[in-house]
Amino acid sequence: DAGVIQSPRHEVTEMGQEVTLRCKPISGHNSLFWYRQTMMRGLELLIYFNNNVPIDDSGMPEDRFSAKMPNASFSTLKIQPSEPRDSAVYFCASSLQQQETQYFGPGTRLLVL
Amino acid sequence: SQQGEEDPQALSIQEGENATMNCSYKTSINNLQWYRQNSGRGLVHLILIRSNEREKHSGRLRVTLDTSKKSSSLLITASRAADTASYFCATAPTGTASKLTFGTGTRLQVTL
């Protein structure tokens, strides 16, 4: 298996632009997680899905952030409009079940100017 | 809130020495996991230990779990420069609806 796939790996955009991050989980995994990591705040869970259904989005910073999982093999995290404080590394992870081992993607390094 | 707290925040040792990192948490758990993160990379799972287990080994890694003290330790024996990374514990609280929660990590530096 190729592992969790994220795209793009790097994104540089200007404030106010829409940003879409993409994730392909490991085939057969039922849970998918979106994290954000910064030096100041560490690793933060934004939202997670079980069987394509959002279970907990309490970590989503504000209405500018939205996430979807239209099917078992694809998820997106969208920021609209983006702001400089959104600059971070965004990780997607998947697991067989929500409390079991999580497999992380390589991350998307986002810079909002 | 349920969260693993690692101690120390940073650790610097020489190659060949052992490194010990600790994790404390607040409420009952189903399992506790340790992850490693190399600079600029995603987290990589190392070991999962369940609440009914006390010790687990994987190569040069040894993990212990003391549920009465709500703490865990990760021991890396005979450390190598390649072990330089941040190490995170993650706790899975009891209650099937609860999610895994990551701590703030220990930054390990292994020098030659």
Side-chain angles (χ1 to χ4, degrees), chain A residues 9 33 35 37 39 41-43 45 48 50 55-56 58 89 91 98-107 109, chain B residues 30-31 33 35 37 39-45 48 50 88 92-100 102-103 107:
Chain A
R9 293 291 306 277
F33 308 82
Y35 292 91
Q37 188 177 39
M39 289 293 291
R41 301 175 68 93
L43 189 68
L45 176 66
Y48 77 96
N50 276 354
I55 302 300
D56 183 351
S58 60
V89 182
F91 289 105
Q98 68 188 42
Q99 286 197 340
E100 296 301 310
T101 298
Q102 291 188 14
Y103 296 83
F104 281 73
R109 189 173 297 273
Chain B
N30 289 325
N31 70 65
Q33 304 175 31
Y35 289 78
Q37 183 180 32
S39 181
R41 303 286 188 92
L43 279 71
V44 174
H45 179 259
L48 182 153
R50 301 197 183 276
F88 295 85
T94 53
T96 54
S98 298
K99 59 185 182 290
L100 203 61
F102 285 82
R107 184 178 297 275

Side-chain angles (χ1 to χ4, degrees), chain B residues 14-38:
Chain B
Q14 290 191 325
E15 201 171 48
E17 295 181 335
N18 296 341
T20 300
M21 287 158 271
N22 302 296
C23 173
S24 60
Y25 56 92
K26 296 175 182 173
T27 63
S28 299
I29 60 171
N30 289 325
N31 70 65
L32 184 145
Q33 304 175 31
W34 284 93
Y35 289 78
R36 183 188 72 229
Q37 183 180 32
N38 291 91

Side-chain angles (χ1 to χ4, degrees), chain B residues 11-20 60 75-80 83 108-111:
Chain B
L11 180 62
S12 182
I13 60 173
Q14 290 191 325
E15 201 171 48
E17 295 181 335
N18 296 341
T20 300
R60 295 184 295 112
L75 169 68
I76 304 174
T77 59
S79 62
R80 305 167 181 169
D83 295 328
L108 173 66
Q109 177 76 42
V110 182
T111 56

